[in-house]
Amino acid sequence: MEKQTGLLLSHLLLKNSVFEVTLNCSHLVWKDLATKKKQTSNSIHHTFKDGSFKCIPVSEIIAVQETEVDAGSKDDGKWQKMSLKANESYPFGFTVSYVERASRHCWRCADVTFHCPNGTLCLQWVQTIQERLALLTNRPKSLLVYINPYGGKRQGKRIYEKRVAPLFSRASISTHVIVTEYANHARDHLRTTADLDKYDGVVCVGGDGMFSEIVHGLMARTQMEFGVDPNFPNAKLMPCQLRIGVIPAGSTDCICYATMGTNDPVTSSLHIIIGDSQPMDICTVHHNNTFLRYSVSLLGYGFYGDVLTDSERKRWMGPARYDISGFKTFLTHHHYEGTVSFLPATNILGTPRDKTRCTAGCYICQHNSQIHSVKKLENKEDEDISDSGEWKVIRGKFLAINAANMSCACPRSPKGLSPAAHLADGTADLILVRKCSRFNFLRHLLRHANKDDQFDLTFVEVHRVKQFRFTPRHCEGDSELNLTESGKRLFSHICKDHPACGCSPAYSNWNCDGEILPHAAIDVRVHCQLIKLFARGIEEQPIFESFHTSAV
Ligand SMILES: CCCCCCCCCCCCC/C=C/[C@@H](O)[C@H](COP(=O)(O)O)NC(C)=O
Ligand SMILES: Nc1ncnc2c1ncn2[C@@H]1O[C@H](COP(=O)(O)OP(=O)(O)O)[C@@H](O)[C@H]1O
Ligand SMILES: [Ca+2]
């Protein structure tokens, strides 16, 4: 065995075969010595698939521990099933847990146990791997966990205890777990009480609504610390330092799905453990220079606002409420009149109609975020609305106005509301669906779930924007301005209650990441990369074995 060059190389036993096991500066590699010769002549891929060769990055090792090898007396686990050969010549063992890629972007924790001829060698392997892991400073050691016990199918607590906590403990991560007792418990605890210096990250077990609570708590705390008042629409908001992990246990789980490619609690846990980092844009929503909310995924008026308003009354149904309310809202087919003004994103790479997607290590996000930071330095980022001639104005009747700050991919729509949107490019995609027939709207909706382009329809348009504002028609005329907010609501309710009159209600609601906003007239701005998730974006494809050959 050598160690001087930073290389550890030994012949160890794995499942009755002797393997050449190497730890180099970046990878742990094991090759079956018996099949080593075959590799030159046979198909490499075939040889690898039988487990005779494997190469894993150190950055994807979850933990290493000594394995008790006592196969003669007891047989209490798959690793301990030792052959006679192992007993005699390889009486010591250590187990490496690492990330393995399964199908559809799912990650799993796999274990491999190597048997060593002596205890000193075994200890040396364990210590060296542990030393390497200790050098990975991006990994969290201590996490603050919030569980919403009522999200989705009310499985948050069970999911955490059964599938997440055992992995955190294997990775020696300490946790402080809070099961929330009421809505906004997590937000308020983060904003005012939590001792954030003690933690390397915050984990949210729940859906997009719960994630939104965490974002609001952390953002409020950060802005307070830096003395930034978010009521000023032009305020330069400060980014949050703590990363957020999302364990999916909600109804839509689009934050998780769109940042990892799946809504799987184990995959999320592994991204947290290895300390992945994915920056994300955040939108601020203002009404008359008053800050209302942050939005990370979807801001939707008309169709998605109405779906949400209806579904809130059906919370007891769990995730199915969105299907029922979606169907009902589709049948009511209300349209809303108003003016959308927006500031198109210029001098950036990418358009909403691109075929390319935001993937792990996205070049477009990197490039565009650099442009934003240069503009910030030059203080040009937030030009005042009235000063800029670039604003576009569209007046009309809309079935839906959606701003997707990210793809909003979720199990219902794996490509999302705006498939080419980016997680961290400082822009959002503004989708306008004009009044059209039910049949045409259905065509548009169905295209979210198939391969056809949902924007390739005459009544749909999409713009990549930095800012936008919406004014419902009844706020525009002076006479209507005299109506009080409650009067407007009453009017809209009368119409909703009398669909026979054939008119649409004047107002819908904004669906802001699953929360109903109290105002229809809003101002929205995209802020580049204000938060970071324990994620890496969607990997383009599983890393194939052929990749590993070049890494060795
Ligand atoms: C066969 C017909 C297919 C129609 C597909 C319609 C596209 C569905 C795209 C949904 C995009 C949802 C974006 C995420 C929104 C969440 O913030 C929000 C709140 O999610 P939560 O309840 O907290 O998990 N969910 C909803 C449905 O408004
Ligand atoms: N303990 C609690 N009791 C009631 N509501 C809660 C609790 N904890 C969080 N919430 C709220 O529940 C709502 C839905 O949570 P979420 O986890 O997103 O589930 P879902 O995806 O099913 O909507 C959020 O608005 C959140 O603020
Ligand atoms: Ca974006």
Side-chain angles (χ1 to χ4, degrees):
M1 190 192 55
E2 309 164 40
K3 207 190 166 185
Q4 300 78 354
T5 54
L7 182 91
L8 211 53
L9 189 154
S10 307
H11 288 178
L12 306 176
L13 194 75
L14 164 60
K15 289 186 191 150
N16 294 333
S17 297
V18 179
F19 276 67
E20 181 189 276
V21 188
T22 316
L23 181 71
N24 63 33
C25 56
S26 56
H27 288 78
L28 175 68
V29 186
W30 59 98
K31 285 180 208 164
D32 188 343
L33 289 175
T35 50
K36 205 176 168 188
K37 285 194 189 83
K38 251 185 4 189
Q39 286 175 17
T40 47
S41 50
N42 287 355
S43 148
I44 284 173
H45 287 250
H46 182 76
T47 318
F48 292 170
K49 273 188 186 146
D50 67 8
S52 63
F53 176 92
K54 196 128 198 170
C55 173
I56 55 169
V58 172
S59 62
E60 292 183 8
I61 294 178
I62 294 154
V64 58
Q65 63 193 40
E66 272 186 90
T67 311
E68 205 183 303
V69 177
D70 189 16
S73 55
K74 56 180 193 238
D75 181 12
D76 57 352
K78 55 181 187 235
W79 312 320
Q80 277 86 349
K81 277 193 180 171
M82 300 282 295
S83 69
L84 265 178
K85 192 174 168 189
N87 272 337
E88 286 166 4
S89 319
Y90 295 84
F92 297 87
F94 67 93
T95 299
V96 178
S97 307
Y98 61 96
V99 170
E100 193 160 68
R101 283 162 181 78
S103 60
R104 282 181 258 134
H105 303 286
C106 275
W107 283 12
R108 287 287 166 261
C109 175
D111 291 312
V112 59
T113 299
F114 299 104
H115 298 283
C116 310
N118 63 68
T120 318
L121 182 64
C122 187
L123 200 63
Q124 182 160 25
W125 269 94
V126 172
Q127 282 175 350
T128 312
I129 294 176
Q130 274 169 352
E131 280 163 19
R132 291 288 172 83
L133 295 185
L135 293 175
L136 303 172
T137 48
N138 54 342
R139 293 192 173 198
K141 293 188 182 69
S142 169
L143 294 169
L144 176 56
V145 181
Y146 294 98
I147 303 176
N148 175 3
Y150 302 114
K153 296 181 182 152
R154 301 173 175 242
Q155 298 294 305
K157 221 164 152 263
R158 202 183 62 88
I159 290 172
Y160 182 76
E161 280 160 10
K162 291 248 157 44
R163 307 194 63 194
V164 182
L167 288 171
F168 285 171
S169 100
R170 181 145 3 146
S172 308
I173 293 176
S174 68
T175 52
H176 178 70
V177 179
I178 297 175
V179 179
T180 61
E181 285 159 23
Y182 46 89
N184 292 324
H185 182 173
R187 183 198 67 185
D188 295 342
H189 186 254
L190 275 171
R191 190 169 56 184
T192 54
T193 323
D195 181 2
L196 298 183
D197 292 339
K198 287 199 335 211
Y199 305 104
D200 306 309
V202 178
V203 172
C204 134
V205 185
D208 295 332
M210 191 59 190
F211 176 78
S212 169
E213 272 201 34
I214 305 291
V215 167
H216 279 81
L218 281 178
M219 281 295 292
R221 181 81 172 254
T222 309
Q223 305 324 307
M224 275 188 299
E225 256 170 39
F226 287 93
V228 179
D229 181 355
N231 284 312
F232 290 111
N234 283 328
K236 295 219 174 352
L237 300 177
M238 296 304 289
C240 297
Q241 292 310 312
L242 286 182
R243 276 171 291 172
I244 309 173
V246 193
I247 307 290
S251 301
T252 313
D253 294 328
C254 99
I255 302 292
C256 186
Y257 201 98
T259 53
M260 283 174 246
T262 182
N263 58 335
D264 170 58
V266 169
T267 307
S268 291
S269 312
L270 297 175
H271 281 284
I272 295 170
I273 289 170
I274 70 164
D276 265 341
S277 188
Q278 170 66 51
M280 277 175 64
D281 299 335
I282 288 200
C283 293
T284 46
V285 185
H286 287 82
H287 172 80
N288 284 347
N289 292 334
T290 306
F291 170 79
L292 292 183
R293 279 190 77 83
Y294 296 108
S295 165
V296 188
S297 56
L298 165 72
L299 267 164
Y301 189 80
F303 184 72
Y304 287 101
D306 295 350
V307 169
L308 184 72
T309 308
D310 190 72
S311 71
E312 280 301 291
R313 292 176 227 133
K314 302 183 170 68
R315 214 162 233 296
W316 55 271
M317 283 185 185
R321 69 189 186 280
Y322 288 134
D323 300 319
I324 310 281
S325 298
F327 186 61
K328 188 175 155 190
T329 308
F330 168 73
L331 289 181
T332 44
H333 197 64
H334 283 152
H335 65 266
Y336 301 92
E337 227 175 321
T339 304
V340 183
S341 329
F342 61 91
L343 187 61
T346 48
N347 301 320
I348 52 143
L349 292 179
T351 77
R353 304 291 295 273
D354 287 343
K355 291 284 168 274
T356 51
R357 301 287 176 252
C358 185
T359 48
C362 179
Y363 175 71
I364 289 183
C365 287
Q366 281 172 34
H367 179 273
N368 293 350
S369 62
Q370 272 163 17
I371 291 180
H372 288 295
S373 45
V374 170
K375 277 192 183 167
K376 238 183 201 168
L377 279 177
E378 293 170 359
N379 252 339
K380 281 187 193 161
E381 201 195 30
D382 295 305
E383 286 143 9
D384 194 54
I385 295 165
S386 48
D387 294 349
S388 174
E390 298 170 76
W391 281 74
K392 295 223 163 90
V393 181
I394 296 176
R395 209 179 160 129
K397 295 176 178 171
F398 305 99
L399 287 175
I401 298 166
N402 300 321
N405 188 19
M406 49 189 264
S407 73
C408 294
C410 59
R412 272 188 186 76
S413 168
K415 63 178 180 179
L417 276 184
S418 190
H422 287 271
L423 290 167
D425 68 336
T427 75
D429 289 350
L430 182 64
I431 305 157
L432 306 176
V433 185
R434 288 174 188 272
K435 186 183 168 192
C436 64
S437 68
R438 273 194 187 82
F439 174 72
N440 271 334
F441 189 49
L442 182 64
R443 281 172 69 208
H444 169 65
L445 285 182
L446 288 176
R447 286 186 187 191
H448 289 84
N450 66 29
K451 61 175 183 4
D452 296 331
D453 180 355
Q454 62 257 47
F455 304 135
D456 189 17
L457 294 162
T458 52
F459 51 91
V460 181
E461 56 188 283
V462 56
H463 306 273
R464 191 152 279 182
V465 305
K466 282 231 21 91
Q467 293 182 37
F468 75 93
R469 72 171 12 175
F470 175 70
T471 319
R473 194 198 128 193
H474 293 262
C475 281
E476 291 168 337
D478 278 345
S479 56
E480 276 95 355
L481 271 180
N482 297 331
L483 276 171
T484 61
E485 196 67 31
S486 59
K488 287 182 234 161
R489 297 270 155 206
L490 185 66
F491 172 59
S492 102
H493 275 289
I494 290 168
C495 280
K496 265 183 189 157
D497 293 344
H498 297 276
C501 79
C503 67
S504 275
Y507 299 100
S508 172
N509 291 304
W510 280 98
N511 173 342
C512 175
D513 290 355
E515 285 294 311
I516 299 167
L517 290 185
H519 302 280
I522 58 169
D523 269 305
V524 178
R525 252 156 240 257
V526 193
H527 299 258
C528 195
Q529 306 195 355
L530 286 186
I531 55 166
K532 280 195 187 115
L533 259 58
F534 286 110
R536 60 168 61 172
I538 299 175
E539 288 184 317
E540 254 167 296
Q541 55 185 13
I543 297 178
F544 291 119
E545 289 146 329
S546 53
F547 168 84
H548 291 317
T549 39
S550 58
V552 183

